[in-house]
Amino acid sequence: MAAGTVPNLENKLFVGGCPPTSDEEALRAIFEKHGTVDEIFIMRGGSRSGMACAFVRFATQETAQRAIDAIHGNVTLPDASEPLVVRWADAPGSRGRESRGRQPNERRRSGGDRRSG
């Protein structure tokens, strides 16, 4: 199954495409229309694009799914150029090195690093 398509035990959603100016209050206003939001965590500065992402945890799986259905690709935040990406969050540790396009034992090589090991 594709990443983000399987519900998780925490009812936690990944929200991508948030502008760096996003705040909890704005996200809560959007997501609480679909059910009780237990927690919102915003991560800033980790992407090359400069955008932020967030994790939103709902009280129930049903309300989390309603939020995915209603918000994904349909809601654009102020200062954002694209609509939000909303999907089920991956379980911790489930996205290892393989998901970044490298094999588990493959090493990055740079022109100046000739150390063995």
Side-chain angles (χ1 to χ4, degrees):
M1 233 178 223
T5 60
V6 179
N8 55 59
L9 297 175
E10 295 179 301
N11 306 319
K12 188 182 289 188
L13 304 182
F14 167 82
V15 182
C18 301
T21 56
S22 299
D23 61 23
E24 182 177 334
E25 185 177 313
L27 289 174
R28 189 173 292 277
I30 292 167
F31 282 88
E32 279 192 335
K33 293 176 184 176
H34 308 286
T36 302
V37 172
D38 289 341
E39 179 183 30
I40 296 176
F41 178 74
I42 300 173
M43 293 177 55
R44 292 181 177 84
S47 73
R48 292 180 193 160
S49 68
M51 298 300 277
C53 67
F55 292 93
V56 178
R57 189 165 53 88
F58 276 86
T60 69
Q61 182 176 323
E62 293 76 21
T63 56
Q65 185 63 57
R66 276 201 306 260
I68 292 171
D69 295 341
I71 300 168
H72 176 74
N74 296 317
V75 175
T76 303
L77 292 175
D79 298 328
S81 58
E82 306 252 339
L84 294 173
V85 172
V86 184
R87 62 173 173 76
W88 290 102
D90 295 327
S94 67
R95 290 181 56 108
R97 296 176 86 162
E98 301 85 33
S99 67
R100 295 189 186 115
R102 292 196 319 260
Q103 295 300 315
N105 294 325
E106 184 179 331
R107 293 186 185 174
R108 288 187 183 188
R109 295 194 181 263
S110 64
D113 187 6
R114 301 280 188 239
R115 291 178 290 181
S116 62

